[in-house]
Amino acid sequence: MPKTIEYYISKGFDSKMAAYFAAGRKKLVSVIPNSDFTLLLTFNNDEKRLFDMKPYLTKNSVFEQFQNYDDFKRVYIDDSNCICWDKDKNIDSETCWNNKVDLSSDVCYVDSVPV
């Protein structure tokens, strides 16, 4: 059975995410933090998109500490193709997994805007 938009909707996806998956997942190849707390994302199809992190940087959220730009700009792409930050820059998140906060590249693609 081909994986159409209707297929993904039948599995509980919303229409935006269903359209994304039906068109084929994208892989992140770069992330650049901007001083306005947006991320410039480049995907493997050479598409550039802007993702606004401000709605995530709220008090009492896992992203709260990244309201500080020096912490925010430490963003990277991990081995699972997620956008990540290490809570403590002195701890290797590969050996201490609960040091990392992340966002799925799929969500970042769907919730970003083309540049």
Side-chain angles (χ1 to χ4, degrees):
M1 174 180 201
K3 306 286 185 183
T4 62
I5 293 173
E6 294 75 20
Y7 169 83
Y8 287 106
I9 288 174
S10 76
K11 298 296 181 188
F13 289 70
D14 68 21
S15 59
K16 281 175 53 176
M17 196 60 82
Y20 166 77
F21 276 96
R25 295 177 77 184
K26 313 299 185 283
K27 181 177 172 142
L28 274 167
V29 294
S30 77
V31 57
I32 299 171
N34 299 308
S35 60
D36 65 350
F37 295 93
T38 60
L39 299 170
L40 178 61
L41 308 174
T42 304
F43 290 85
N44 62 335
N45 61 352
D46 293 325
E47 187 174 0
K48 293 189 183 308
R49 298 179 69 87
L50 196 63
F51 184 78
D52 186 1
M53 278 296 298
K54 290 183 287 300
Y56 293 84
L57 302 174
T58 59
K59 188 169 175 63
N60 298 320
S61 76
V62 296
F63 296 100
E64 179 179 12
Q65 97 177 67
F66 305 108
Q67 292 174 347
N68 175 321
Y69 185 67
D70 286 334
D71 290 330
F72 179 77
K73 68 184 180 183
R74 291 188 289 111
V75 66
Y76 64 96
I77 301 169
D78 73 0
D79 292 342
S80 299
N81 199 44
C82 293
I83 293 176
C84 301
W85 291 264
D86 293 332
K87 293 186 267 184
D88 182 336
K89 66 182 177 184
N90 299 310
I91 297 175
D92 180 5
S93 290
E94 294 302 316
T95 58
C96 183
W97 64 267
N98 63 350
N99 185 52
K100 184 191 315 186
V101 294
D102 62 11
L103 287 169
S104 157
S105 60
D106 301 325
V107 167
C108 291
Y109 185 90
V110 170
D111 290 343
S112 61
V113 294
V115 175

